[in-house]
Every structure is written in structure tokens, then in C-alpha cells.
């Protein structure tokens, strides 16, 4: 029986060709510090992190934790509003780019952990809210900007780790009442719902909403239809037409796909944390600290694969039925990849993090496939 199980697992692991993204690295700027966040508006790609300089065209340019480039050509743009602390999340909508993180001033103006910027000029708008804590995630949908993180108040109002703002007025949406008992790392908006991933054990008093949950996009009421089981802290969430995808930490990391009622479709286990996930054309792309993908779900101390493994260094791709593809560009570094994001305008896959080499090329902290 054990031989039969391993044979089936090996069949599922057999490399399948990646259909959506190639391994060749496209032209794009690189950075001298960690890239944490990517957002898109038309043909412009916005990047946030802890960097202070960007490199493009053989030259180095000052970029204090915020930068932008042309998604068609890769050329660094002049947009450069400086932030005085790390930018951990970005979101964009026509007329505005939102940034959140550990900063206190942006573009020379006082902004406490969250700011709204002009997408074309190095200026901030009047949007201003004081946050007691640290934001980690932003998402846009349902006429709102959603914020997740580890915080207790927004603008003096109690808001435990989750908040929403009106895109029309910029005001805190006091009618959106979602909250969690612990940090929220990632947000994704789809089908009128907001999907939350993090370290929480409770959402809106429900103790069965653990690490991954969904709430109503306009009220914040918990969706009790979506009932996934997740055994480790969720670091990233993505959604497409087929379901919900998460990256987790734990004893080795995992990438898991769920249906919209929370039923697990497939999972892949790694020998290190998975910290980023996105989907393109039915293929899930995963990034993290790992160096190998396990052949089975069994792993041991430090995530060691107990039933064999195949090399995938900091990046991997998985088909819609859970098979590992042959996409294998490899990134270096201890932390590796922190963010993966899909450009809706070009279909490109963007990777950010702490690496300096990726796909066999020198690409400090950012690469585009």
C-alpha cells in the first residue's frame, strides 16, 4: 500500500510544463533594499519597500522606499515621493496610489503609516489617518480601501487589525465592522468578499475563523460558508475564478488551494516558509524561503522532506490540479522572495524580496518574468 501511495504522489509531482510565464527575466529596475509591495495602474508599475536607490540603464537613482516604472519597457519613471520608513503594502486605483507601512512622513508631509499619493506627481493628498500599530496589507474593491495589519486604533477609533475607508470620501468606514484577534498579513477582494490571511484565531468573535477567513465587502460580516482548515500562519492570499490560494509558514511552508466553500483542492509542501503566492492562467506561482519541494506532505524538523524532494530554490509553479511544473528560475538569499504579483496589463509576473540573483542573472531585489 505504501508503494502504491508513493507511486501516486510521484505521478502528481511529475513535472508539467508551465503555460503562463517563462523563466526569462525581463527588463526592469533593481533596488538596493528589500522590495515588499507591488501595485499596478494602467501601464505603470509601483514598487514599495525599504530601498533608498533604484538602478536602471546603468545608472543609480535616489528612490526613498517608493518608485515606479513603465510596465511595457521596464524604464524607471521619475515618480519618486520619498517615505521615511518601510513601505509594506501598495494599492492603486484611477487617480490614486495608496501606501501603508512603518513611515511617518511621505513626500515631505506628515502621514502616519498610511498615505494617498498622486499617481503622476510626487505629492500626497489630504487623506490622513493615524494608526496605532503597523499595517501589512492593502486591497481595493467594493468602493473601499481595505487595510490589514497589527493595529488597535485608526483615527482614534478602535479597529483591531482590520479597517476600511471610502474611496469616494477618504473617510474611515465605521459601518464595516470586521475585526480579528491577531495580525492580518494579506488581503484579497473577489465576488463581493474580502479574504483575510494571517495569524488570527478569531474573526468577529467566531473562533472557527482561524488564519484564513472571508468577510462581506460592504458590512464586514463573517462569511460562514467559507470554512477552510489551515494549520499554520497564512502569509499571503490570492483569488481567481477557481478559488482561493494561500502561502503559509509552519514546519516547512505550504501552498494550498481551496474552493470557495473552503474545501482543500490541493497542497504542496516545502522545506521552508512560503511567503508569496499569485496566479496566472490557472498556474499558481509561489515564493518564499524554501529550497526544495517535498514529494509528499510529510516533513520533519526545519521542514526536512521525509519522502524525498525536488529542487525549487525560492520559487515554484503549480498547475490547477496540484502538479509541480518545470518552471525553475531560482533565486538566492536566505529570505528569498517576499512578494509575487501579476501585472494585469502585460501578464507579467513580478517578484520582489531580498535576493540579488534570480533566473541566473544579477537582479537585486526585483525581477519581472
Amino acid at each position: 500500500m505504501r508503494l502504491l501511495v508513493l507511486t501516486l504522489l510521484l505521478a502528481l509531482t511529475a513535472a508539467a510544463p508551465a503555460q503562463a510565464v517563462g523563466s526569462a527575466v525581463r527588463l526592469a529596475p533593481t533596488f538596493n533594499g528589500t522590495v515588499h509591495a507591488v501595485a499596478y495602474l494602467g501601464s505603470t508599475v509601483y514598487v514599495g519597500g525599504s530601498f533608498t536607490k533604484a538602478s536602471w540603464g546603468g545608472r543609480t537613482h535616489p528612490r526613498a522606499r517608493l518608485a515606479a516604472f513603465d510596465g511595457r519597457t521596464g524604464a524607471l519613471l521619475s515618480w519618486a515621493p520619498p517615505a521615511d520608513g518601510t513601505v509594506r503594502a501598495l494599492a492603486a486605483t484611477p487617480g490614486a496610489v495608496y501606501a501603508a507601512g512603518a513611515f511617518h512622513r511621505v513626500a515631505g508631509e506628515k502621514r502616519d503609516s498610511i498615505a494617498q499619493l498622486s499617481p503622476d506627481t510626487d505629492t500626497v493628498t489630504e487623506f490622513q489617518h493615524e494608526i496605532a500599530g503597523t499595517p501589512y496589507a492593502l486591497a481595493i474593491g467594493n468602493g473601499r480601501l481595505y487595510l490589514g495589519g497589527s493595529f488597535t486604533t485608526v483615527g482614534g477609533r478602535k479597529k483591531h487589525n482590520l479597517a476600511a475607508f471610502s474611496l469616494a470620501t477618504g473617510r474611515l468606514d465605521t459601518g464595516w465592522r470586521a475585526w480579528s484577534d491577531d495580525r492580518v498579513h494579506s488581503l484579497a477582494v473577489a465576488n463581493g468578499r474580502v479574504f483575510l490571511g494571517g495569524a488570527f484565531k478569531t474573526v468577529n468573535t467566531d473562533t472557527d475563523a482561524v488564519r484564513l477567513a472571508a468577510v462581506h465587502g460592504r458590512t464586514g460580516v463573517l462569511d460562514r460558508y467559507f470554512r477552510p482548515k489551515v494549520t499554520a500562519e497564512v502569509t499571503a492570499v490570492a483569488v481567481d475564478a477557481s478559488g482561493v490560494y494561500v502561502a503559509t509558514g509552519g514546519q516547512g511552508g505550504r501552498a494550498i488551494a481551496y474552493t470557495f466553500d473552503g474545501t482543500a483542492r490541493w497542497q504542496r509542501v516545502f522545506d521552508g516558509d512560503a511567503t508569496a503566492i499569485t496566479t496566472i492562467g490557472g498556474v499558481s506561482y509561489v515564493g518564499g524561503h524554501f529550497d526544495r519541494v517535498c514529494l509528499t506532505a510529510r516533513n520533519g524538523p526545519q521542514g526536512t522532506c521525509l519522502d524525498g524532494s525536488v529542487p525549487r530554490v525560492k520559487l515554484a509553479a503549480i498547475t490547477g490540479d496540484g502538479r509541480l511544473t518545470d518552471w525553475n528560475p531560482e533565486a538566492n538569499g536566505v529570505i528569498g522572495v517576499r512578494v509575487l504579483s501579476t501585472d494585469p496589463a502585460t501578464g507579467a509576473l513580478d517578484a520582489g524580496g531580498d535576493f540579488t540573483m534570480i533566473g541566473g542573472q544579477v537582479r537585486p531585489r526585483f525581477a519581472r518574468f
Side-chain angles (χ1 to χ4, degrees):
M1 178 62 73
R2 178 175 171 78
L3 178 61
L4 175 60
V5 170
L6 285 176
T7 300
L8 289 172
L9 286 165
L10 285 168
L12 284 174
T13 304
Q19 299 297 316
V21 172
S23 295
V25 180
R26 301 187 186 187
L27 291 175
T30 58
F31 300 89
N32 72 334
T34 302
V35 170
H36 287 281
V38 184
Y40 308 95
L41 190 58
S43 62
T44 302
V45 183
Y46 297 91
V47 182
S50 61
F51 52 83
T52 56
K53 295 178 181 178
S55 296
W56 170 255
R59 298 179 56 191
T60 299
H61 308 262
R63 291 293 186 273
R65 302 169 188 91
L66 287 165
F69 69 91
D70 187 317
R72 298 162 301 188
T73 66
L76 185 69
L77 300 178
S78 61
W79 189 82
D84 68 352
T86 299
V87 173
R88 296 192 176 275
L90 290 171
T93 192
V97 176
Y98 295 91
F103 52 79
H104 301 288
R105 297 185 73 85
V106 179
E109 301 291 336
K110 182 180 178 182
R111 292 295 184 270
D112 185 27
S113 302
I114 191 167
Q116 183 190 71
L117 300 111
S118 164
D120 304 311
T121 64
D122 298 347
T123 58
V124 293
T125 71
E126 295 181 357
F127 177 88
Q128 186 170 349
H129 299 272
E130 292 189 0
I131 298 173
T134 303
Y136 296 132
L138 291 170
I140 287 175
N142 309 306
R144 292 163 175 79
L145 172 72
Y146 300 99
L147 176 71
S150 179
F151 51 85
T152 54
T153 65
V154 176
R157 292 179 176 269
K158 289 185 178 180
K159 287 289 177 182
H160 291 284
N161 308 311
L162 288 162
F165 307 89
S166 166
L167 290 178
T169 67
R171 297 193 185 102
L172 181 68
D173 183 352
T174 57
W176 195 75
R177 299 177 180 273
W179 63 272
S180 70
D181 68 331
D182 206 341
R183 59 190 174 275
V184 174
H185 284 298
S186 184
L187 301 170
V189 180
N191 304 323
R193 292 182 284 180
V194 184
F195 293 87
L196 329 167
F200 50 83
K201 302 293 181 60
T202 302
V203 175
N204 298 0
T205 74
D206 190 317
T207 56
D208 289 327
V210 181
R211 304 183 186 96
L212 178 64
V215 297
H216 195 280
R218 298 189 180 278
T219 65
V221 171
L222 182 69
D223 179 356
R224 298 180 187 277
Y225 176 75
F226 181 66
R227 287 297 197 188
K229 300 295 182 184
V230 189
T231 59
E233 187 168 343
V234 172
T235 54
V237 179
V239 181
D240 69 9
S242 298
V244 183
Y245 306 81
V246 301
T248 80
Q251 183 175 291
R254 297 185 190 300
I256 312 171
Y258 297 93
T259 63
F260 284 112
D261 67 359
T263 302
R265 293 163 47 208
W266 54 256
Q267 74 168 323
R268 300 302 314 207
V269 179
F270 306 88
D271 68 347
D273 289 351
T275 55
I277 194 164
T278 191
T279 67
I280 308 174
V283 177
S284 298
Y285 293 85
V286 186
H289 312 166
F290 53 83
D291 295 321
R292 306 190 73 82
V293 182
C294 301
L295 296 184
T296 74
R298 294 199 325 128
N299 59 4
Q302 287 79 54
T304 303
C305 300
L306 299 179
D307 298 316
S309 63
V310 291
R312 289 293 186 275
V313 184
K314 311 303 188 283
L315 287 164
I318 303 161
T319 64
D321 59 1
R323 289 184 296 160
L324 188 67
T325 78
D326 58 4
W327 188 76
N328 186 23
E330 297 193 359
N332 70 344
V334 176
I335 300 299
V337 175
R338 291 182 182 265
V339 59
L340 290 172
S341 191
T342 305
D343 184 347
T346 65
L349 172 69
D350 291 318
D354 296 270
F355 53 83
T356 56
M357 296 280 297
I358 197 166
Q361 299 184 34
V362 177
R363 303 295 301 169
R365 287 96 190 180
F366 187 84
R368 165 163 274 221
F369 297 95

PDB file of all heavy atoms in Angstrom, residues 53 108 128 175 185 198 237 339:
ATOM      1  N   LYS A  53      17.627  53.399  -3.177  1.00  0.00           N
ATOM      2  CA  LYS A  53      18.107  53.668  -4.531  1.00  0.00           C
ATOM      3  C   LYS A  53      17.552  52.630  -5.502  1.00  0.00           C
ATOM      4  O   LYS A  53      17.317  51.477  -5.124  1.00  0.00           O
ATOM      5  CB  LYS A  53      19.640  53.635  -4.586  1.00  0.00           C
ATOM      6  CG  LYS A  53      20.304  54.741  -3.781  1.00  0.00           C
ATOM      7  CD  LYS A  53      21.821  54.622  -3.831  1.00  0.00           C
ATOM      8  CE  LYS A  53      22.481  55.722  -2.993  1.00  0.00           C
ATOM      9  NZ  LYS A  53      23.962  55.602  -2.995  1.00  0.00           N
ATOM     10  N   GLY A 108       7.398  64.683   2.079  1.00  0.00           N
ATOM     11  CA  GLY A 108       7.611  65.839   2.936  1.00  0.00           C
ATOM     12  C   GLY A 108       6.471  66.182   3.857  1.00  0.00           C
ATOM     13  O   GLY A 108       6.559  67.143   4.626  1.00  0.00           O
ATOM     14  N   GLN A 128      -5.688  61.336   5.424  1.00  0.00           N
ATOM     15  CA  GLN A 128      -4.771  61.231   6.556  1.00  0.00           C
ATOM     16  C   GLN A 128      -5.472  60.569   7.738  1.00  0.00           C
ATOM     17  O   GLN A 128      -6.542  61.014   8.178  1.00  0.00           O
ATOM     18  CB  GLN A 128      -4.268  62.618   6.964  1.00  0.00           C
ATOM     19  CG  GLN A 128      -3.208  62.597   8.037  1.00  0.00           C
ATOM     20  CD  GLN A 128      -2.581  63.978   8.237  1.00  0.00           C
ATOM     21  OE1 GLN A 128      -2.790  64.888   7.445  1.00  0.00           O
ATOM     22  NE2 GLN A 128      -1.798  64.118   9.288  1.00  0.00           N
ATOM     23  N   GLY A 175     -19.092  51.628   9.312  1.00  0.00           N
ATOM     24  CA  GLY A 175     -20.090  50.575   9.162  1.00  0.00           C
ATOM     25  C   GLY A 175     -19.501  49.230   8.774  1.00  0.00           C
ATOM     26  O   GLY A 175     -20.197  48.211   8.819  1.00  0.00           O
ATOM     27  N   HIS A 185      -1.946  39.445   7.624  1.00  0.00           N
ATOM     28  CA  HIS A 185      -0.805  39.640   6.723  1.00  0.00           C
ATOM     29  C   HIS A 185      -1.214  39.987   5.307  1.00  0.00           C
ATOM     30  O   HIS A 185      -0.469  40.652   4.592  1.00  0.00           O
ATOM     31  CB  HIS A 185       0.038  38.363   6.662  1.00  0.00           C
ATOM     32  CG  HIS A 185       0.887  38.122   7.856  1.00  0.00           C
ATOM     33  ND1 HIS A 185       1.884  38.975   8.248  1.00  0.00           N
ATOM     34  CD2 HIS A 185       0.882  37.107   8.761  1.00  0.00           C
ATOM     35  CE1 HIS A 185       2.470  38.501   9.331  1.00  0.00           C
ATOM     36  NE2 HIS A 185       1.878  37.376   9.674  1.00  0.00           N
ATOM     37  N   GLY A 198      -3.688  35.407   7.941  1.00  0.00           N
ATOM     38  CA  GLY A 198      -2.791  35.900   8.976  1.00  0.00           C
ATOM     39  C   GLY A 198      -2.572  34.916  10.096  1.00  0.00           C
ATOM     40  O   GLY A 198      -2.598  33.696   9.898  1.00  0.00           O
ATOM     41  N   VAL A 237      -2.405  35.613   0.406  1.00  0.00           N
ATOM     42  CA  VAL A 237      -3.667  35.105  -0.129  1.00  0.00           C
ATOM     43  C   VAL A 237      -3.830  35.617  -1.558  1.00  0.00           C
ATOM     44  O   VAL A 237      -3.526  36.775  -1.852  1.00  0.00           O
ATOM     45  CB  VAL A 237      -4.870  35.585   0.708  1.00  0.00           C
ATOM     46  CG1 VAL A 237      -6.174  35.062   0.127  1.00  0.00           C
ATOM     47  CG2 VAL A 237      -4.737  35.158   2.161  1.00  0.00           C
ATOM     48  N   VAL A 339       7.355  38.864  -2.169  1.00  0.00           N
ATOM     49  CA  VAL A 339       6.101  39.237  -2.824  1.00  0.00           C
ATOM     50  C   VAL A 339       6.114  38.748  -4.266  1.00  0.00           C
ATOM     51  O   VAL A 339       7.135  38.806  -4.946  1.00  0.00           O
ATOM     52  CB  VAL A 339       5.878  40.775  -2.769  1.00  0.00           C
ATOM     53  CG1 VAL A 339       6.999  41.527  -3.441  1.00  0.00           C
ATOM     54  CG2 VAL A 339       4.533  41.164  -3.370  1.00  0.00           C
TER      55      VAL A 339
END
